[in-house]
Amino acid sequence: MANNSSKGSRGRKQALNSLKNEVAGELGINLKQGYNGDITSREAGRIGGNITRRVIEQMEGEMSGK
């Protein structure tokens, strides 16, 4: 299992949190700092699905040389 205390993991975590907040804002879903157990499974799925779509698009762009 990966060591989460390694250099760079903090930056990746911050980038993912930033992306999560950006996507949630675009979808009109209000997230709080910390625990967000009050959002529905559907809302959480929409956030996760949109994050996945963006990451895949970014990787496809990198692979095609864009």
Side-chain angles (χ1 to χ4, degrees):
M1 182 174 272
N3 181 358
N4 288 336
S5 65
S6 65
K7 291 182 181 180
S9 67
R10 185 174 301 150
R12 286 188 298 269
K13 187 172 182 177
Q14 288 174 340
L16 182 58
N17 279 329
S18 176
L19 179 58
K20 177 176 65 175
N21 288 321
E22 179 182 332
V23 167
E26 290 173 3
L27 296 173
I29 301 168
N30 295 320
L31 294 180
K32 304 179 295 281
Q33 286 286 80
Y35 183 67
N36 283 287
D38 58 333
I39 67 171
T40 66
S41 296
R42 183 180 188 118
E43 291 170 328
R46 286 179 66 202
I47 293 169
N50 277 277
I51 289 172
T52 302
R53 180 182 50 80
R54 285 190 186 187
V55 169
I56 290 171
E57 287 173 353
Q58 180 182 8
M59 295 306 295
E60 286 176 339
E62 289 177 10
M63 291 173 65
S64 68
K66 290 183 178 178

